[in-house]
Amino acid sequence: MHNSERLVVITGGTKGIGKALVDRFAAEGWPVATCSRNDNDLDALRNEINEKHQMLIHTFKADLSKKEEVKNFVEFVRMIAKPVEILINNTGVFTPGAVLEEADGALEQMIDTNLYSAYHLTRALAPSMKQNKSGHIFNLCSVASLKAYPNGGSYSISKFALYGFSQAIREELKEHRVRVTSVLAGAVKTPSWDGVDIPDERFMKPEDIAETIYTSYRLSERSVIEEVVLRPQLGDI
């Protein structure tokens, strides 16, 4: 089946890693469906990709921390009527703080956004991949999934949980020829770091994460990169 007949679903596609992923797959002629909480950002992304690659992407406004809006996005994806070949669970939020001192509700917010968005979306879209015996799911975990760090608080808890989810579905889907990859990335220059007084070259580029994911998908179906750890060359920030 040609790329153009299958769909890539990328959550949180208007900024940072998500935007780099949309750009990378569109450049290869893949139809892309993505979502964001902001209509203006989606319009800007759609116009930019169309101008750059002469590709129309499918965009939908949704806050995936809300289960009902995940369902709405799923319906939108199904209406495109192309089999989902690649699902990239990229939506995430980072609020710094210590577990014992962070604002009440911090854990709930980050679990809703960083874990439940991927959980509900995967449960909705993976059954058709399983049925088709084809597909690849990428979960954007973090080096914070491997080791907690000061002021990481509930972010680290949510990313440990996402990593656990990713490993669980890897086991469930392996015999159905659906690959699952956990992407454990360190600091990437994205809007999350706006206002921080650290030089750009100290961070990884979003394009490097996108390239890693694209290359991981391109391996033969006999192989899977179960997990990949990426860090800035000089180490974590």
Side-chain angles (χ1 to χ4, degrees):
M1 198 183 287
H2 189 264
N3 288 359
S4 62
E5 295 169 33
R6 299 173 295 173
L7 189 65
V8 182
V9 177
I10 301 166
T11 64
T14 58
K15 294 188 172 77
I17 295 168
K19 186 177 179 183
L21 282 161
V22 171
D23 185 71
R24 187 69 185 90
F25 279 94
E28 299 296 334
W30 281 87
V32 173
T34 192
C35 60
S36 155
R37 293 176 299 176
N38 186 298
D39 268 332
N40 292 338
D41 290 349
L42 289 168
D43 290 344
L45 176 70
R46 200 166 52 244
N47 293 336
E48 184 181 325
I49 296 297
N50 190 23
E51 198 173 301
K52 193 170 174 184
H53 303 298
Q54 288 71 58
M55 281 282 293
L56 282 172
I57 60 168
H58 307 274
T59 60
F60 189 81
K61 183 184 176 184
D63 178 349
L64 297 190
S65 70
K66 298 177 169 63
K67 187 176 179 180
E68 203 52 47
E69 296 198 28
V70 175
K71 285 183 183 173
N72 295 340
F73 182 53
V74 168
E75 285 311 308
F76 172 77
V77 167
R78 287 182 176 148
M79 282 170 57
I80 297 166
K82 289 180 190 289
V84 175
E85 172 67 9
I86 302 168
L87 167 60
I88 305 175
N89 288 307
N90 168 67
T91 288
V93 65
F94 169 61
T95 307
V99 171
L100 300 183
E101 294 157 19
E102 63 194 1
D104 185 40
L107 177 62
E108 289 91 330
Q109 183 215 12
M110 283 186 267
I111 289 285
D112 284 346
T113 308
N114 299 346
L115 174 68
Y116 287 158
S117 63
Y119 174 81
H120 294 307
L121 190 57
T122 303
R123 277 166 52 87
L125 298 181
S128 64
M129 293 174 155
K130 190 172 160 181
Q131 196 175 345
N132 296 336
K133 294 208 173 297
S134 178
H136 201 146
I137 298 167
F138 292 89
N139 295 307
L140 269 294
C141 302
S142 169
V143 291
S145 302
L146 298 171
K147 189 176 189 299
Y149 58 88
N151 224 33
S154 284
Y155 177 73
S156 195
I157 297 171
S158 72
K159 288 295 188 175
F160 262 79
L162 181 63
Y163 186 32
F165 163 74
S166 196
Q167 292 178 71
I169 59 167
R170 161 67 180 141
E171 291 306 314
E172 289 181 27
L173 293 172
K174 59 168 59 164
E175 66 193 62
H176 301 284
R177 289 167 52 189
V178 177
R179 296 183 288 178
V180 178
T181 300
S182 303
V183 181
L184 302 121
V188 179
K189 188 59 181 173
T190 68
S192 298
W193 291 92
D194 285 353
V196 175
D197 189 22
I198 300 172
D200 278 7
E201 55 271 21
R202 188 64 181 83
F203 295 87
M204 290 186 287
K205 294 164 68 175
E207 292 78 10
D208 290 340
I209 312 303
E211 190 60 39
T212 300
I213 288 172
Y214 181 75
T215 304
S216 300
Y217 171 73
R218 293 275 299 151
L219 297 181
S220 94
E221 60 184 25
R222 291 165 53 177
S223 306
V224 60
I225 295 178
E226 289 187 323
E227 51 196 60
V228 55
V229 180
L230 300 106
R231 284 191 168 92
Q233 169 59 19
L234 292 176
D236 287 328
I237 291 172

